[in-house]
Amino acid sequence: MAQDHKLEIFRGLWKFKSNTQKIWGVLAFLSFITIIEVALGIAKPEGLMASFLGMKILNWIFIILTIVKAYYITWDFMHMRDETSGLRRAVVWTAIFLILYLMFILLQEGGYVFDVYDNGYIKRDF
């Protein structure tokens, strides 16, 4: 029973014959996403530098791709797919709430600091 792990990813679209093949498949997928992130970070396409909801579109793409990677690491390597739905929801909802809360705080504080520097309210620089 403990060795009865599901050997597919992407909701059954990509199936494997053994756990070793599955690990290599997930590694290939995560490497592919990382290569996309690095390529976008190096190239910085001009079309993705437009602002959307207070940040550049490129930054939103980085955040989304990072969340996708975190999801698959948790789902496959931490075996969340084999747990009960209640435990999965508790872990995922908590993480989503904390990530959104952190993004909100960072955007609010970053905007405040930018306004302070932009409007010249600084009396001295530390």
Side-chain angles (χ1 to χ4, degrees), residues 2-107:
Q3 286 78 19
D4 294 337
H5 299 292
K6 296 180 177 117
L7 296 175
E8 70 266 347
I9 58 176
F10 305 122
R11 307 242 181 219
L13 294 176
W14 199 0
K15 297 181 182 179
F16 302 100
K17 294 178 184 171
S18 68
N19 281 330
T20 305
Q21 284 183 343
K22 180 180 169 191
I23 289 170
W24 283 106
V26 172
L27 177 67
F29 173 68
L30 295 174
S31 298
F32 178 71
I33 291 178
T34 302
I35 289 169
I36 291 173
E37 286 178 333
V38 170
L40 286 174
I42 292 171
K44 293 183 183 172
E46 194 63 37
L48 298 177
M49 298 307 252
S51 184
F52 178 72
L53 293 178
M55 277 195 314
K56 295 176 185 170
I57 296 173
L58 185 62
N59 290 347
W60 284 112
I61 291 172
F62 286 145
I63 290 170
I64 291 168
L65 289 177
T66 302
I67 290 172
V68 168
K69 285 195 314 187
Y71 168 79
Y72 273 101
I73 288 169
T74 304
W75 192 251
D76 283 316
F77 290 129
M78 297 175 71
H79 306 286
M80 287 302 287
R81 77 169 59 222
D82 300 323
E83 298 296 339
T84 62
S85 63
L87 179 63
R88 285 193 309 239
R89 285 187 193 118
V91 170
V92 172
W93 288 352
T94 303
I96 288 172
F97 170 75
L98 291 175
I99 289 168
L100 292 174
Y101 183 62
L102 176 65
M103 284 175 44
F104 172 76
I105 289 173
L106 289 174
L107 289 173

